[in-house]
Structure formats: structure tokens, C-alpha cells
Amino acid sequence: MQPRVVIIGAGIVGTGLAEEITRLGWTDVTVLDRGPLFRTGGSTSHAPGLVFQTNPSKTMADLARYTVRKFGELDAFDAVGGLEVATTVERWTDLHRRHGWARAWGIDARVVDAEECVRLFPLLDPDRIFGGLHTPTDGLAHAVRAAERQAEIAAERGARFIGYCEVVEVLSKDGRVTGVRTADGQEIPADVVVSAAGFWGARLGRKVGLTVPLVPMAHQFAKTGAVPALGGDERLPILRHQDADLYYRTYGERIGIGYYGHAPRPVDMDALTRDTAGQPMPSMLPFTTAEFAPAWAESSKLLPALSDTEVSEAFDGIFSFTPDGFPILGEHRELAGFWVAEAVWVTHSAGVARAVAQWIVQGGTEIDLHEADLYRFEEAALSPEFIERTSVQAFVEVYDIIHPHQYRAAPRNVRTSPFHARQRELGAFFFEGGLWERPGWYEANAELLDEVAATGVEFPVRDDWSARFYSPISIAEAAWTRTHVAMYDMTPLTRYEVSGPGAAAFLQELTTNDVDKKPGSVTYTLLLDANGGVRSDLTVARLGERHFQVGANGPLDFDWFTRHLPGDGSVVLRDITGGTCCIGLWGPQAREVAQPLCPDDLSHKAFGYFKAIRTYLGTVPVTMLRVSYVGELGWEIYTSAEHGAALWDLLWAAGRSRRVIAAGRLAFNSLRLEKGYRSWGTDMTTEHTPAAAGLGFAVRMSKPEFLGKKALESAPPPDTMLRTIVLDAASAVVLGKEPVRVDGTVVGYTTSAGYSATLGRTLAYAWLPATVQPGDEVEIAYLTQTFTARVHTDPVVDPDMARIKR
Ligand code: FAD
Ligand code: THG
């Protein structure tokens, strides 16, 4: 029997899901909406439908591209093109960066001058703009029509759509959904319930004990009266004026204006009925006229013809914002069969619907969804305080120019390691990541600059953009690590204790490498999804017969592990990140620092590479792993939190004679790039097989069984590969996500980048066709410049492991 599916919400997401799920063969689908079909009163009902596909996230761009294609086929999309104009130098540069993303993700776009902007959109005042970014395939989605068309197709396959039917309760038994109860008392049985309830989703989630971190926010949208100068041209592109938080579309002779510049207005859901009384829809609040004044003033400057008209109708529409701007997708971990697909724009809706349908029906997606996963959030990030503040900030920043290394400004100091006070004393410049305070570099190391420069290390001057969130001190720290010894705070590295009689078998089945080795061994291994895509990369240290310590990448690993735990209690999983801390002590002189403190023999012979021991450093009980993401001799040294400060002080004092330094994330990143180590989520995702990512060495196909093995057995050889490229010019810098050309054609994109003190060049990883080989020349477009680079064999530094294994 086919699973019975109930979808809550018949907006653009719910109808898209019904179409995609029935297309994959599950046709017992019922879609319920509290409002009338298909102008339900949700956000979709009044969405002006602008679709700008370009996004810093490849995933989001892919979801948008699919939406454009699908709505085009459904005759619900007008490819009028998208035009984003720049009225400031910063924006003009930023449009070049956006142009880079467009090309990197396969979207046709071009940077055009002011004259061309006016040709495309004649109402523009050419004197106000530097130029624009024109994307011909962007355009207008007819959101309600698209919802209707998708519903029709789904209905032909057997799906039912029921309006005026509010879900008031989700029914469940033994941790599985069994159906829903509606306001009129009906019970509708279901095996799968998908909440596509838009900004009502957080409330619905709460009914089943799920935090859906979205905040409904009001956003101003106005329509002008007739603007005769428009002449009723239906083909004008959609327009963005991000410097003033504005966007535009035309409706015949009228212009629609959307505005994000007003103070953020989170919506009080408890007062929604009262606040929207008298409005046409429950997603429309009364227009806040005074707040719109700057929008009108700015608009009249950019489009002088507006002075002939005024606002004729307007409202504050409600839709969802999230802490990081991404949708919220996935299945409730404690309530099997309950899915959410929320905080989705019209722009990404069809792509999201297809991906979530694949996830539900087939167990995996083609497009990597980790950025949008329901379980991507750290525990503290699910606090109401954090959700509200960061979602409000996401509204404020929606059109801001965001530097790729720009970190959250608030809330800060949510998680600090036991070394925090020491780091501050050393002048750490803190970045935020996973809510942790992470030193990027230490001002105390400025005193090394001259000395390191004297050894021949170059410190190229950066352009203004790449010099942000950066310090040349990081180059000195990286160089120093390769010649002396450095302490890296590895506390934020997520780690789990996996224990119990079933622990070894559990890890063996879940990961690609052979982890069932002797206690004291460490293994680098991968998590794959059912399609054979890389879900994560881990280190697994066997500390005892039934006791493992796993080094992981974040909350999604915990989620994956939890979902796969055997039901018999034979494996216990514990996140030990917060209760412990870790210093990476690395560099050629690491052994001289640590050995005098340790009762055990730390020689290469006694304590080899990728081995683990439990011992003491002074009075501090430690677990030492002979692992180094920076590719140097040394150890990750773990202890429980209360010993952290003592451990730091001990190593610091012992390292004095060797001139030990504390080093930060920038140096760390540069060194791992030199060593060829990948960073999951940035360099590779579920869209890549281990072989494509250069991680085939971590897969033991001789193991009887592991998740993803079947898919790998039938996987064709990869047609794209992750490669290291070295920029030719010493001063050339890239930051990641730039398009890479071969013979003038864009063939790939960079993922991460950093300066190599060893080579005196910037290194980057790039996804390139497998035919592009080491030694080949490529070109990278960076803002307004083009840099040449060469594909290098990786790793660039220490390919024969001489530095690390001695
Ligand atoms: P909705 O369309 O809100 O659908 C959710 C449905 O769930 C509703 O119909 C609701 O009635 C139903 N529902 C909720 N709870 C229950 C329940 N308990 N039982 C039964 N049914 C329930 N996006 C773009 O991409 N481009 C744009 O140009 C754009 N402009 C916008 C302008 C404005 C003014 C606004 C407000 C939004 C705009 N958006 C735009 C965002 C976009 O409209 C939304 O993100 C999108 O429509 C959300 O679709 P949805 O299907 O998730 O939600
Ligand atoms: N330390 C620990 N766990 C981790 C990381 C870490 N887990 C998440 C993430 N980082 C995993 N990434 C890597 C990448 C490379 C290596 C370790 C962790 C590494 N690779 C050796 C190599 O490729 O030469 C593996 C050699 C081998 O398999 O023997 O060291 O930083 N604890």
C-alpha cells in the first residue's frame, strides 16, 4: 500500500510538493488549507513574484533555476529579465561579485553600463547609476497561477485539495504520525504529514514539540497609480535598487514597489486575527504609511517619472525570515513522518518542492540541502532570543553587501572556550562560528612580522575588499607554525562520545572506512548518504573496546547519528563538545614542548601517526590524538573543561623556550589548504562522491556493508573533480565562489581559498571538469579583475608526509 500523505498548506510550497510527490509515484496525497483555494490568504496570495536567481549559495541558485524552468513550462512565468542597479561604488563592485556567482552557478548574466540600464528600463535616471547586472532569465512568477497549475497536475494523478480546512492537531502514536485533526473535528489518517504552512509553520511545529526557527515579519509593498511614461510595456525587467532597500516590478502602467528599509516588524501571531481584521487576507497588515516616505523619496530619484503619480494601494505583507536566510526543511527527528518545508520564497519554491519530495519518497536529494536543514542549528541558536534577534537582523541585512568572511555581530559571546581569557590577553580578533568565539589571529603576533618577513615570506598588500576581516599577522602565524610551534584552539570542533557494546558495529555500518581497529587507533572516515554523496568527514578515535571519540563537523552529524542509532540501547551517543576543550599543538618543535610534561613516550615509534593515548601533561588528564589538520607534527590535546585553563598555561610556559605562539583560524585555514584537507560543507557536500572530492582513500569497498556503499558500486567515474589551484600573481587574492574559466568558458568554481606562506601565492580549491589536469592553466574572475592560475597536484605542501610522520 502506498503511504498516505497529508500536506498542510496550499500555497506555492504545498501545491508544488503535491505535484512533485505525485510525480514520484505517491498519489495518495491530500492538501488542506485553512483558507479558500488557491488564493488562500497566505503569503503566496499576494506575492509580487519577482524571481532573482543569483544567490551566494549554489544550492539556492539551483533551487531558483529549477523554479524558473518549471514555472516556464507551466506558463506561469514571464522571463522579463532581472536588472539590479548600483548607485554607489560599493554596490557597483558588489554587482561584479554577484555576476561571478551567477556565472559560477550557470546563470547567464552580464554587467551593463548606465546607458544599457536605461535601454532596459527607460524610467531610470542614468545620472544616478553606475550600471547594473542584467540577468535575462530572471523574471516574474505568477505565484497563484503556478500554485493552481501544480495542483491541477497533482489532482489528475489523484491528489485531493480541500479548502477552508484548518489543521488543529497532528495525531501520532509511538513516535510516528498517524494523521491530522481538522477544526471541524475530522480525523484524516496519514503516514506522512508535511507542514507547508508558511509563516504559520512555527506555531504548528510547536504543537508537535518542534522548534521551527522562523519569524513572521511585515514587509511593505505598494502599487502606484498610472505612470504614463511606462506606456504599458509588459516586458520591462524586474528591478532592484538595493542601495535603498527597494525593488520594483511593473503592472501595465503601474509600478509595484517593495521596501525593506523600514524598521523590522516581527509579527505577533497571537494578535494576528485582531491586527489583520478588515484586511483582505490574514497575511496582510495595514500599510504603515509614514514608514514608506523614504522609499518614495528614493524611488522618485531613481525613477523621476514617479513624480507624476502616487501610491494608490499598499499593504504590509507577512512572510517568514530565518536566522540565516535559508529555508527550514526536513523531518522531525522525534516524530517520524512529520516533515516541514517552510520559510521558502516563491523564487525557490519549485526547487524546494522537488528536493523535499525526493527526500520523502526516495530518502535523499539531488541538490545538497545542508544549508536549509531543519537540524542545522546549534542548541543555543534555537533559543527564542537568538531566533528573534538574528531573524530580525536577516531582515535588516536583506540587501546589504555582506563580506564572505563577515561574521555575526550579535548575539556574541554565546560560547567561549576555557582559553578565552588568555586569548583576549593576546589580542585575539574573534570571529563567530557555530556560536563560538574563535580567534582569527592574535595581535600579540604582530611582533613576528619583521622576523618572518626576514626569512623570505611575502606579505602581499590586499585590495580593500579582501583586506576586510583579515590581517597579515595570519601569514606570520602560518609560517611560524611550519618552523616553530603553535597552539590552536580546537574547542569548537564538534565531538561525540560513542559507547556501548554496539558502538563499533554502529560506526562500522555508518561510515566508509574501517574503524573497527585496535583501541588506540584513529581513523579518518566519511559519512555518505544513500546516493553515495559525502554527508560529512570524521575522525574516529577508538579509546577503548566499547568507547569511541568522534570528531565531527556540526549539528547535522549529531542528527544523522541519532537517526541511525540502534533501537536496543546498545549504543550511547553523547555530544561532549561543551564539557571538553582541545588545543592543537602543532609544528616541528611540538614534541620538544610536550614530551617533558608527559610520563608517556611521545616519540614517533611509541606514539605513531593517527594514534590516540590517554595520559597526563603535568596534572592535566588528557586524551592526545596524533592528528593535524594543519599538516604538522603534533597532537590534538583534549581535556575536560575545568582543566582547560591549566592546560593552556602549562603548554604556554613549557613552550616559551621554543617561542610557542597562539595562532588563529586564518592561519589554520591557510595551512589546511596547503595540506590538501577539505572542509565539509564548503569544499564538498552530498552532491559529490568521495572519488570526486579526492577522498576515495577513506573508503574501504572491501568492507561488507556501509551506508552508501551500494550507490558507490554503481557510480560512474566522476566528471568533475575538486582540485587545488595556485594563483600566478603574488598579489592576487580570491575568497571563494568565483567562476573558473578554461579557454574563455566558465567550467567550474572555487570553494575555499587562502594565502600560502610557503608558496607566496593564494591557493584555492575548485570544482573543475575531470579533463582539467594538474599543470593546466585556468582563469578566475574576481570582482572586476581576472587572475590566471595553474592546477596543482595536491597537497601542495608535504605530499610525502615527511613533516607530519616523524
Ligand atoms: P503560504 O503561501 O503562506 O502558504 C501557507 C498556507 O498554509 C496558507 O495558505 C495558509 O492558509 C495555510 N495554513 C497555515 N496554517 C494552516 C493550518 N493549520 N491548517 C491548514 N492550512 C494552514 N517571494 C519571492 O520569491 N519573490 C517576491 O517577489 C516576493 N515578494 C513578496 C512580497 C511580499 C509583500 C510578501 C509578504 C512576500 C513576498 N515573497 C516573495 C515571499 C513569498 O510570498 C513567500 O515566501 C511564499 O509565498 C511562501 O509560500 P508558502 O507556500 O510557504 O506559504
Ligand atoms: N580533527 C578531528 N576531527 C575532525 C577534524 C579535525 N573531524 C572533522 C574534520 N576535522 C575532518 N577533516 C579532516 C580532514 C583531514 C584529516 C583529518 C580530519 C587528516 N587526513 C589525513 C590525510 O588525508 O593525510 C588522513 C590520513 C589517514 O587516513 O591516515 O588528517 O581536524 N579530530
Side-chain angles (χ1 to χ4, degrees):
M1 220 190 48
Q2 275 199 355
R4 297 156 302 178
V5 180
V6 164
I7 297 171
I8 306 169
I12 197 71
V13 175
T15 53
L17 270 167
E19 197 281 318
E20 298 284 349
I21 290 174
T22 55
R23 188 206 298 236
L24 294 179
W26 288 11
T27 53
D28 189 344
V29 172
T30 308
V31 184
L32 310 173
D33 202 291
R34 61 197 291 282
L37 302 176
F38 282 91
R39 202 169 289 277
T40 62
S43 308
T44 306
S45 304
H46 53 62
L50 289 81
V51 176
F52 287 95
Q53 300 163 87
T54 301
N55 192 288
S57 156
K58 176 177 177 290
T59 291
M60 295 300 270
D62 285 346
L63 297 171
R65 280 168 58 194
Y66 180 77
T67 305
V68 164
R69 201 172 80 219
K70 184 177 186 189
F71 288 2
E73 286 164 7
L74 297 176
D75 195 23
F77 187 77
D78 284 332
V80 292
L83 181 64
E84 306 177 43
V85 294
T87 61
T88 60
V89 178
E90 293 73 29
R91 185 70 60 181
W92 180 233
T93 309
D94 193 56
L95 291 184
H96 286 81
R97 194 162 63 104
R98 295 180 61 76
H99 185 217
W101 294 332
R103 283 175 298 165
W105 314 148
I107 298 164
D108 178 34
R110 58 199 182 114
V111 173
V112 296
D113 61 15
E115 206 175 298
E116 178 69 1
C117 288
V118 175
R119 202 190 59 72
L120 289 161
F121 202 101
L123 265 54
L124 283 167
D125 177 355
D127 295 338
R128 295 216 165 256
I129 53 182
F130 288 86
L133 177 66
H134 181 227
T135 310
T137 52
D138 285 349
L140 281 169
H142 300 281
V144 175
R145 195 193 303 169
E148 238 164 344
R149 290 277 149 86
Q150 295 183 100
E152 275 164 26
I153 298 168
E156 280 164 25
R157 300 189 186 120
R160 291 167 298 276
F161 291 82
I162 305 171
Y164 295 112
C165 183
E166 179 168 5
V167 172
V168 292
E169 197 185 339
V170 177
L171 307 171
S172 65
K173 190 164 181 260
D174 302 332
R176 276 211 68 89
V177 292
T178 55
V180 296
R181 194 193 322 277
T182 63
D184 57 6
Q186 280 188 78
E187 281 187 14
I188 304 178
D191 307 296
V192 172
V193 173
V194 192
S195 178
F199 69 79
W200 285 273
R203 298 203 109 191
L204 208 61
R206 226 168 290 137
K207 285 185 196 278
V208 290
L210 187 68
T211 303
V212 180
L214 64 79
V215 175
M217 301 256 253
H219 158 55
Q220 290 190 318
F221 192 77
K223 279 185 197 173
T224 67
V227 182
L230 268 179
D233 184 349
E234 295 287 348
R235 304 298 303 170
L236 286 183
I238 55 174
L239 180 68
R240 262 183 183 166
H241 175 24
Q242 281 132 299
D243 293 316
D245 296 312
L246 285 159
Y247 66 83
Y248 309 89
R249 60 159 292 183
T250 57
Y251 296 87
E253 285 206 313
R254 306 169 69 194
I255 298 185
I257 305 174
Y259 188 45
Y260 290 110
H262 54 88
R265 288 214 292 135
V267 172
D268 177 359
M269 290 296 283
D270 292 327
L272 187 71
T273 310
R274 183 196 72 207
D275 292 347
T276 59
Q279 296 297 312
M281 295 179 191
S283 57
M284 283 176 152
L285 289 160
F287 189 55
T288 41
T289 311
E291 296 247 37
F292 196 68
W296 187 257
E298 274 300 324
S299 298
S300 307
K301 283 191 217 158
L302 187 73
L303 309 168
L306 284 184
S307 57
D308 298 338
T309 186
E310 55 191 16
V311 169
S312 75
E313 56 182 289
F315 61 97
D316 288 10
I318 304 170
F319 72 118
S320 306
F321 277 79
T322 58
D324 53 11
F326 287 98
I328 314 276
L329 313 174
E331 185 181 17
H332 195 329
R333 193 157 71 210
E334 274 93 42
L335 182 57
F338 184 85
W339 292 74
V340 297
E342 273 139 7
V344 179
W345 287 27
V346 172
T347 301
H348 312 105
S349 62
V352 163
R354 179 175 69 147
V356 172
Q358 289 173 346
W359 199 353
I360 293 172
V361 177
Q362 299 170 338
T365 63
E366 276 170 277
I367 293 179
D368 159 53
L369 290 186
H370 85 273
E371 293 167 310
D373 196 297
L374 168 62
Y375 286 100
R376 67 187 179 273
F377 300 97
E378 303 284 343
E379 197 179 354
L382 292 176
S383 59
E385 160 92 6
F386 188 91
I387 294 168
E388 168 98 6
R389 283 177 73 184
T390 55
S391 301
V392 161
Q393 191 60 18
F395 179 93
V396 172
E397 289 177 356
V398 72
Y399 281 170
D400 285 4
I401 298 169
I402 307 284
H403 192 278
H405 297 162
Q406 185 172 329
Y407 287 91
R408 204 187 296 291
R412 288 293 295 268
N413 293 304
V414 178
R415 302 172 94 181
T416 52
S417 85
F419 320 130
H420 191 68
R422 305 294 187 271
Q423 293 166 344
R424 288 177 53 161
E425 284 164 19
L426 295 170
F429 178 94
F430 288 101
F431 287 73
E432 184 270 354
L435 282 73
W436 286 99
E437 295 298 322
R438 300 162 165 232
W441 64 82
Y442 294 86
E443 289 297 332
N445 294 327
E447 63 187 35
L448 301 176
L449 286 169
D450 290 342
E451 191 177 341
V452 171
T455 66
V457 172
E458 305 273 351
F459 295 79
V461 174
R462 292 199 162 199
D463 64 280
D464 288 350
W465 181 250
S466 66
R468 291 189 207 174
F469 306 100
Y470 165 81
S471 165
I473 293 170
S474 64
I475 298 179
E477 291 176 357
W480 199 263
T481 308
R482 294 243 184 269
T483 53
H484 293 73
V485 57
M487 288 160 58
Y488 289 84
D489 183 359
M490 298 290 285
T491 304
L493 174 87
T494 313
R495 51 198 166 273
Y496 312 133
E497 180 185 271
V498 181
S499 59
F506 168 70
L507 291 168
Q508 197 71 337
E509 279 162 34
L510 210 54
T511 81
T512 57
N513 212 337
D514 180 17
V515 298
D516 193 3
K517 298 181 193 143
K518 282 207 288 274
S521 62
V522 183
T523 310
Y524 177 67
T525 188
L526 309 176
L527 295 178
L528 303 184
D529 67 11
N531 299 330
V534 181
R535 250 203 86 103
S536 190
D537 65 339
L538 312 170
T539 57
V540 175
R542 186 167 208 170
L543 300 178
E545 248 343 288
R546 299 176 165 197
H547 178 192
F548 295 82
Q549 180 175 316
V550 175
N553 285 301
L556 289 176
D557 295 326
F558 192 82
D559 181 52
W560 190 248
F561 272 42
T562 305
R563 288 172 191 274
H564 288 90
L565 282 176
D568 59 7
S570 63
V571 182
V572 178
L573 171 68
R574 223 158 54 88
D575 186 330
I576 57 168
T577 314
T580 58
C581 58
C582 177
I583 294 172
L585 181 74
W586 292 311
Q589 305 187 35
R591 195 174 276 128
E592 282 72 23
V593 174
Q595 183 63 81
L597 306 172
C598 186
D600 281 299
D601 182 357
L602 301 180
S603 70
H604 183 56
K605 199 152 170 259
F607 183 7
Y609 185 56
F610 264 66
K611 294 282 184 270
I613 61 168
R614 295 215 263 183
T615 182
Y616 291 91
L617 294 180
T619 56
V620 181
V622 293
T623 300
M624 295 174 76
L625 307 192
R626 181 91 188 270
V627 169
S628 171
Y629 200 62
V630 305
E632 285 296 330
L633 173 66
W635 307 269
E636 289 177 353
I637 306 172
Y638 297 87
T639 190
S640 54
E642 84 274 26
H643 295 297
L647 176 64
W648 181 281
D649 292 344
L650 184 68
L651 293 173
W652 191 253
R656 267 189 79 121
S657 62
R658 303 279 162 181
R659 302 180 66 199
V660 70
I661 61 163
R665 302 293 301 177
L666 270 70
F668 184 76
N669 184 54
S670 132
L671 295 168
R672 67 101 187 167
L673 280 156
E674 289 185 339
K675 190 67 182 94
Y677 293 160
R678 280 77 167 118
S679 175
W680 188 83
T682 305
D683 300 321
M684 75 285 192
T685 67
T686 53
E687 291 181 17
H688 310 108
T689 61
L695 300 173
F697 70 89
V699 182
R700 280 287 159 285
M701 288 305 275
S702 56
K703 247 174 38 169
E705 204 55 63
F706 61 83
L707 211 169
K709 185 182 175 196
K710 268 203 194 64
L712 288 190
E713 279 166 348
S714 55
D719 48 13
T720 61
M721 298 283 293
L722 189 67
R723 301 282 193 192
T724 300
I725 58 180
V726 180
L727 275 69
D728 289 334
S731 62
V733 179
V734 295
L735 299 174
K737 302 190 176 188
E738 292 92 1
V740 181
R741 291 193 296 252
V742 172
D743 298 330
T745 307
V746 175
V747 296
Y749 56 90
T750 59
T751 56
S752 39
Y755 183 74
S756 162
T758 309
L759 294 189
R761 295 286 183 281
T762 292
L763 302 183
Y765 292 140
W767 281 101
L768 295 172
T771 49
V772 180
Q773 291 290 317
D776 289 356
E777 189 179 281
V778 300
E779 282 180 355
I780 312 176
Y782 170 75
L783 304 180
T784 54
Q785 291 170 275
T786 298
F787 299 131
T788 55
R790 218 163 270 284
V791 180
H792 202 290
T793 50
D794 67 36
V796 168
V797 168
D798 199 27
D800 50 12
M801 308 291 275
R803 303 182 68 87
I804 206 167
K805 292 192 184 176
R806 61 199 180 80

